[in-house]
Amino acid sequence: MKHYTGINDIGNLQQAVKEALELKNDKLKYRALGKDKTICLLFFNNSLRTRLSTQKAAQNLGMDVIVMNFGSEGWALEYDDGTVMDQGKSEHVKEAAQVVSQYATVIGIRAFAGLEDKEKDAAELVLNSFVKYASVPIVNMESSLQHPLQCLTDAITMEEYKIVGRKPKVVLSWAPHPKALPHAVANSFINMMQLQDADFVITHPIGYELDPKITKDILIEYDQEKAFENADFVYVKNWSSYRDYGQIKCTDPNWMITASKMKVTNNGKFMHCLPVRRNVVVTDEVIDSKNSLVIKQAANREFAAQIVLKKILENDETNSSENRRT
Ligand code: AN0
Ligand code: CP
């Protein structure tokens, strides 16, 4: 694997999940793989889990880690070609990406959607510019459209908690939130579910339809309670409107996840990527229940990142030994 920008880069998902669970049992097994290699994690936005779990995963593989809060501490970057840079932008991404490549074997990038300009967000400017100009592999730590480390984590967690011998029913449910949030987590979860053998349904208020190029022919059930019937996993996430791009169309508290809604599931597990707003998105009762997997999901972030970095490092080693031979 060269870059990890979306879940499809992982190859066979089921195999990757299996390998991640093996790593979980012996996380220091490949400590020699990352010796004398450095990962540079560039954050244009806040983070708790991604920052710490990716760092931990790299350390498990023996790598050195450099973390930079680029959004608050780096120079403001220009992305357009041919611009006369006489305004607020101090440095072009062309130089920045090449410079970081001198210090790192792998670069991680977190750059959220701005949620103001649909076309601009769809272009994945920050991520794609680093892919274009850096000379080392890039790991997507949440871009405008995707959060592939999160959805790999979610696949690992569902594998651990699924009922053996039963095709799981999985629901992706929208829930209210006071801030306009990106579509990346929902998009990646959907991409991942399209690679799974499961009954999958999405539920959200009218007006919250995601990009139809991503949802394709997946069933959308506008009645949340009906969607929850017999579900094994209820994956909850807020996102802002895609059609009326970045807008909040609904804050109806009736969409919050409550214990009475969970009652119609098949003893369903509650999942959320975190951070979550208690008693807005989900009640204390549900998130604190034994069926809540949120902390287990966060734990698995380490192993999702580790399997991704392992595959990148192995590919890098193969390439450099081939280069030595030629
Ligand atoms: C972000 C989002 O919804 O994309 C990050 C989630 C992992 N969440 C918030 O900004 C609250
Ligand atoms: N789930 C997740 O990506 O969390 P952070 O935003 O805290 O990294």
Side-chain angles (χ1 to χ4, degrees):
M1 180 165 63
K2 173 91 201 279
H3 303 292
Y4 185 65
T5 58
I7 189 68
N8 288 323
D9 292 330
I10 202 75
N12 183 319
L13 175 65
Q14 281 72 29
Q15 183 61 27
V17 166
K18 193 169 157 264
E19 286 174 39
L21 287 168
E22 282 162 16
L23 272 180
K24 191 170 178 175
N25 283 325
D26 192 1
K27 57 184 177 181
L28 300 182
K29 185 170 174 189
Y30 299 97
R31 222 182 158 80
L33 194 60
K35 189 172 178 294
D36 299 329
K37 307 224 159 136
T38 300
I39 186 166
C40 195
L41 306 178
L42 305 181
F43 286 89
F44 292 78
N45 305 94
N46 296 352
S47 171
L48 170 64
R49 281 142 290 273
T50 305
R51 179 168 174 157
L52 299 186
S53 63
T54 311
Q55 183 156 350
K56 191 74 174 24
Q59 287 167 349
N60 291 345
L61 292 167
M63 300 182 87
D64 291 322
V65 186
I66 303 173
V67 183
M68 181 172 178
N69 295 322
F70 207 106
S72 55
E73 295 164 0
W75 298 109
L77 294 184
E78 175 62 54
Y79 293 92
D80 290 339
D81 267 341
T83 319
V84 177
M85 287 172 56
D86 59 357
Q87 299 294 311
K89 308 289 169 61
S90 304
E91 175 158 36
H92 202 284
V93 67
K94 213 166 183 171
E95 282 79 52
Q98 292 182 75
V99 167
V100 181
S101 303
Q102 313 298 304
Y103 312 139
T105 315
V106 183
I107 302 174
I109 304 279
R110 166 166 280 203
F112 289 176
L115 294 178
E116 277 169 12
D117 181 332
K118 193 187 260 191
E119 273 69 47
K120 208 166 157 195
D121 286 346
E124 296 271 38
L125 204 56
V126 183
L127 183 74
N128 285 341
S129 299
F130 273 87
V131 169
K132 184 170 173 189
Y133 296 119
S135 53
V136 298
I138 303 295
V139 174
N140 181 354
M141 302 196 298
E142 187 174 336
S143 62
S144 302
L145 301 185
Q146 297 289 334
H147 194 357
L149 288 172
Q150 183 64 51
C151 72
L152 180 55
T153 299
D154 301 329
I156 295 167
T157 313
M158 287 196 290
E159 180 63 27
E160 287 182 297
Y161 289 92
K162 73 177 189 194
I163 300 168
V164 180
R166 178 182 151 89
K167 184 173 170 178
K169 177 175 175 185
V170 181
V171 183
L172 169 63
S173 179
W174 182 93
H177 197 283
K179 266 181 67 185
L181 295 187
H183 309 101
V185 171
N187 287 346
S188 281
F189 188 76
I190 292 166
N191 286 159
M192 180 276 290
M193 283 310 302
Q194 281 159 337
L195 303 171
Q196 299 277 24
D197 184 25
D199 290 326
F200 182 45
V201 51
I202 305 174
T203 182
H204 56 68
I206 291 170
Y208 275 92
E209 293 74 16
L210 289 155
D211 182 352
K213 288 194 290 304
I214 291 175
T215 53
K216 295 185 182 127
D217 56 357
I218 295 167
L219 178 67
I220 297 172
E221 171 55 70
Y222 293 98
D223 180 338
Q224 191 189 35
E225 188 157 337
K226 198 159 167 230
F228 276 34
E229 277 170 16
N230 224 13
D232 297 286
F233 297 97
V234 176
Y235 194 93
V236 179
K237 184 71 185 80
N238 169 269
W239 59 88
S240 53
S241 172
Y242 177 74
R243 193 181 60 197
D244 298 316
Y245 196 65
Q247 288 184 32
I248 298 177
K249 310 295 287 181
C250 170
T251 49
D252 184 356
N254 286 321
W255 276 84
M256 179 168 63
I257 312 305
T258 61
S260 70
K261 286 182 192 171
M262 293 300 289
K263 278 208 178 84
V264 305
T265 66
N266 181 34
N267 194 25
K269 305 283 192 243
F270 170 79
M271 297 180 75
H272 191 285
C273 65
L274 303 181
V276 72
R277 295 198 182 215
R278 283 172 172 257
N279 304 309
V280 176
V281 171
V282 55
T283 61
D284 286 337
E285 193 182 0
V286 172
I287 195 172
D288 292 332
S289 75
K290 63 171 184 13
N291 280 16
S292 168
L293 297 183
V294 296
I295 305 300
K296 320 270 188 205
Q297 284 171 266
N300 281 335
R301 288 295 305 268
E302 182 179 344
F303 309 105
Q306 201 173 330
I307 194 69
V308 165
L309 294 179
K310 177 174 175 281
K311 284 179 186 292
I312 287 175
L313 290 174
E314 283 168 347
N315 183 55
D316 200 59
E317 259 191 359
T318 313
N319 288 345
S320 41
S321 60
E322 268 166 17
N323 288 345
R324 274 197 301 274
R325 275 202 299 276
T326 52

